Amino acid sequence: MTTPEALRTALDAAFPPVQFAMAYGSGVFAQKNHDASTSMIDLVFAVDDPKQWHAANLERNAGHYSFLKWFGADTITAVQENYGAGLYYNTLVPLLNPAVGNRLIKYGVVSTKTLCEDLTAWKTLYLSGRMHKPVSILSATDGIHAASAQNLAHAVHYALLCLPEKFSRMDLFMKIAGISYLGDFRMTFGENPRKVRNIVEANYPAFQELYQSHLQNSPFLSPSLSDNDILVSNAVSPTVHTELLDSLPANVARRVGSAERLADRKVAKKSVQRAVASVVNRYSRSQSIKGIVTAGAVKSVVYVAQKLQRTYFKR
C-alpha cells in the first residue's frame, strides 16, 4: 500500500502548493474483501485561492481536465464554487512517480473556506462526512485541524442521539461511519450495501485511534464497569439530551428545530436522522451530476463501470 510519505512526495512534485491534502477511500484504507492496491487513490486538496490554483494547475496538468479547460480558470472555479458541494474533481488521472510507481488518482479541489464551513456546520456533509472516517492527512493548517476536531465531536454527539443508553464501540463507529451514506442515492446504485460495515471492520483500530480522545474526554459517556468495550451514554438525561441537540452543527440544527420540540428521544432520533439524510441526499446528487461535467463523458462512463464491477462482481 502506498505510504503517506511517498504519496506526499509524488503530489508535491506533480501539483501546485495546497493548504490541505488528504487521501481517503479504498485505495488508501483497507475494506473487507477488497484489494486496495488495485484501487484508484481518492484525494482532496484545499486551497485558499481556487482560481489561482486552477490557473497554475492548467499550466502543468491541462490534460487532467475535461473540455472545461478551454474556458479557463475563471469558469472552472465558477463551476467548483457554485454547484454541488463546492468541489471540482478530476478523475482517472495517472500519477507517475518513483515514490508511488504508476497509480491512478482522483482529486477534488475545494476552497479552505468551504472545507471549514462543512467541517464545522455540516453545510453539505460531503467532506465532513468523509472525514468522520479514518483518512490520511498529508498536510493541513492549524485552522483546518481545529475544524476537523470539531467535526469529529459533532459526529459523536450525533451518534449519541441515535444510539441506546448502552452500546459497543463497534455500534458507535458504525453509526458514525454511516452518516455520509445516510440519504446518499448511490447506496442504492453502484455501492456495496455492506460498505459501512466493511469499512469499520477493516479499520477498527484506526477508528479507535481517531476517536480515542473524544471518547475519553466526553462528558456525555463513559465505559461500562463490567465490560470496557461497552459504552454508557447519559443522553437519557433530559438535560444532557437537550445539550446534545443544542450542540448539533448549525445546518442540521436549523433543519431539526428547537430542542423543546424534541424532548422525546425517539422523535429526536428520527428528526436528526431525517435532517442529516436531507443534507446528504441533496449534495451527493448535485455533486455527482457535476462530476459528469468535470470528468467528461468518457471518464464518467469508465468510472461508473469500475464502480459497478467492484460492487456486483467482486464481493
Side-chain angles (χ1 to χ4, degrees):
M1 188 176 293
T2 303
T3 65
E5 293 77 14
L7 189 55
R8 190 181 300 112
T9 298
L11 295 176
D12 286 346
F15 293 98
V18 301
Q19 280 64 57
F20 168 83
M22 77 170 182
Y24 65 96
S26 59
V28 180
F29 289 92
Q31 287 189 20
K32 194 174 179 181
N33 302 321
H34 179 72
D35 181 5
S37 66
T38 64
S39 290
M40 183 164 56
I41 298 175
D42 294 311
L43 300 159
V44 167
F45 304 146
V47 298
D48 287 341
D49 188 335
K51 178 182 173 182
Q52 185 181 70
W53 192 90
H54 283 298
N57 198 42
L58 281 167
E59 290 184 4
R60 298 172 66 168
N61 300 304
H64 295 180
Y65 292 82
S66 69
F67 69 93
L68 289 175
K69 64 188 173 189
W70 302 114
F71 296 93
D74 282 338
T75 297
I76 289 171
T77 303
V79 171
Q80 173 185 315
E81 301 273 73
N82 298 326
Y83 301 96
L87 288 98
Y88 188 101
Y89 272 103
N90 287 322
T91 189
L92 296 172
V93 172
L95 181 65
L96 305 175
N97 188 284
V100 297
N102 185 358
R103 295 294 300 267
L104 283 178
I105 64 171
K106 170 187 174 184
Y107 66 92
V109 184
V110 64
S111 73
T112 52
K113 178 176 180 290
T114 296
L115 172 60
C116 288
E117 284 179 349
D118 195 32
L119 290 173
T120 56
W122 287 11
K123 184 176 180 180
T124 69
L125 270 168
Y126 200 84
L127 289 177
S128 55
R130 278 154 179 74
M131 293 175 70
H132 291 153
K133 299 176 279 292
V135 298
S136 179
I137 304 294
L138 305 175
S139 62
T141 64
D142 290 342
I144 293 175
H145 276 306
S148 179
Q150 188 174 347
N151 180 44
L152 298 181
H154 285 326
V156 172
H157 296 164
Y158 163 85
L160 293 179
L161 286 167
C162 298
L163 289 166
E165 181 181 4
K166 294 183 179 181
F167 50 88
S168 69
R169 294 173 191 269
M170 175 64 78
D171 294 332
L172 176 69
F173 299 149
M174 286 278 291
K175 185 63 67 176
I176 290 173
I179 292 173
S180 64
Y181 300 111
L182 194 65
D184 189 338
F185 78 100
R186 292 170 297 181
M187 291 304 290
T188 60
F189 176 78
E191 289 288 7
N192 187 336
R194 288 180 54 86
K195 183 169 186 174
V196 173
R197 177 170 292 278
N198 289 347
I199 289 172
V200 177
E201 287 181 348
N203 296 280
Y204 187 79
F207 272 94
Q208 286 188 304
E209 181 179 355
L210 183 62
Y211 286 96
Q212 181 178 8
S213 64
H214 293 276
L215 300 186
Q216 288 179 340
N217 301 322
S218 173
F220 303 126
L221 56 84
S222 58
S224 167
L225 295 177
S226 58
D227 186 344
N228 192 53
D229 185 55
I230 299 298
L231 299 172
V232 180
S233 166
N234 56 6
V236 292
S237 159
T239 302
V240 173
H241 177 72
T242 300
E243 284 186 54
L244 287 171
L245 288 170
D246 288 340
S247 70
L248 287 171
N251 191 35
V252 175
R254 178 178 60 81
R255 293 165 186 260
V256 167
S258 66
E260 290 78 10
R261 188 177 66 83
L262 301 173
D264 183 275
R265 293 192 72 224
K266 291 183 179 179
V267 173
K269 174 182 176 179
K270 290 181 180 179
S271 296
V272 171
Q273 289 180 325
R274 188 161 50 242
V276 166
S278 69
V279 176
V280 173
N281 182 267
R282 175 181 176 181
Y283 289 101
S284 66
R285 284 181 182 274
S286 58
Q287 184 65 40
S288 294
I289 293 169
K290 185 171 82 172
I292 297 173
V293 177
T294 61
V298 174
K299 283 189 175 182
S300 294
V301 170
V302 173
Y303 180 72
V304 171
Q306 290 179 347
K307 277 272 190 183
L308 293 174
Q309 183 183 35
R310 189 165 68 243
T311 299
Y312 296 110
F313 299 106
K314 291 189 177 182
R315 288 189 191 175

